[in-house]
Amino acid sequence: MSARVLVGVKRVIDYAVKIRVKPDRTGVVTDGVKHSMNPFCEIAVEEAVKLKEKKLVKEVVAVSCGPQQVQETIRTALAMGADRGIHVEVSGKDYETLAVALQYETLGPLQVSKIFAALAKKEQADLIILGKQAIDDDCNQTGQMTAALLDWPQGTFASEVTLEADKLKVVREIDGGLETIKINLPAVVTADLRLNTPRYATLPNIMKAKKKKITNVKPADLGVDVSSRLEVLKVDEPPQRQSGVKVETVHDLVEKLKEAGRI
Ligand code: AMP
């Protein structure tokens, strides 16, 4: 099989960081905050690399859209086993003007999916694997929009992927169970949590990754307009949880509930 896979790797605030909203409520604090690859993108990379190890695909290309720093995210994907990277550069200036709120505001799912659709054609990709969702915007839209723009079939929320010639069997995590579908390539798959356990990049592989190639392109080179269609009005902290009350007896509990108008 000579398939080429594009994998989307988004740089996000690390999942372990406690997010702080800026005092002027225009966004969240990103300066000096640890960033990492979106966890679902790690799963997407792992799946693509596994397909390559099984010799079912020829090349794995890691793609990240954003400012200069996303190259670190691409390097991580290269250290995990991707063959080369594409950095779709959105300059700091565009970022700041449009990034009224979250860091990736200008690059919402619509803009990113236009980029992936254009790259898929340029690179003659047969498969695009994305995370099911980015943990910063929680959009869960990019895979679906990319498939729609390309008019390709989609296997979203994948927990198992089997490539058989030009067909893909995808087990999908749906409400209350698993759904198995068969789709034709080219296709878009989005990775769910149980698809695999991503490998850690080993030191030798991190060193090797330094020699792998990252190509730089601008959205305009791909004919993509990244202007945002959304205006973020404000960003708020989630409401503080009220502290609870300890009661000694069931009788006290019932009284408290009555007082609070709950029963
Ligand atoms: P979302 O639709 O924003 O929840 O993102 C779903 C997936 O789309 C992510 O897990 C990535 O694989 C991909 N994606 C979104 N934004 C970017 C980006 N800026 N660069 C690369 N991939 C992205």
Side-chain angles (χ1 to χ4, degrees), residues 164-188:
E164 297 159 351
D166 59 348
K167 295 219 186 315
L168 203 60
K169 198 172 92 186
V170 182
V171 179
R172 307 185 53 241
E173 301 216 3
I174 58 168
D175 275 355
L178 296 172
E179 178 189 59
T180 305
I181 58 168
K182 202 169 228 184
I183 54 180
N184 289 326
L185 288 183
V188 178

Side-chain angles (χ1 to χ4, degrees), residues 10 38 40 104-105 107-114 116-117 128 130-150 154 156-157 188-191 228-230:
K10 186 175 186 183
N38 179 48
F40 293 105
Y104 285 80
E105 196 49 47
L107 288 176
L110 181 60
Q111 291 73 24
V112 174
S113 48
K114 283 181 184 170
F116 271 98
I128 299 179
L130 304 178
K132 76 159 177 180
Q133 107 191 29
I135 60 164
D136 54 358
D137 62 20
D138 268 350
C139 277
N140 173 14
Q141 295 167 5
T142 309
Q144 295 86 332
M145 284 187 183
T146 307
L149 289 171
L150 287 164
Q154 56 184 290
T156 50
F157 310 104
V188 178
V189 165
T190 70
S228 183
R229 310 268 174 96
L230 291 178

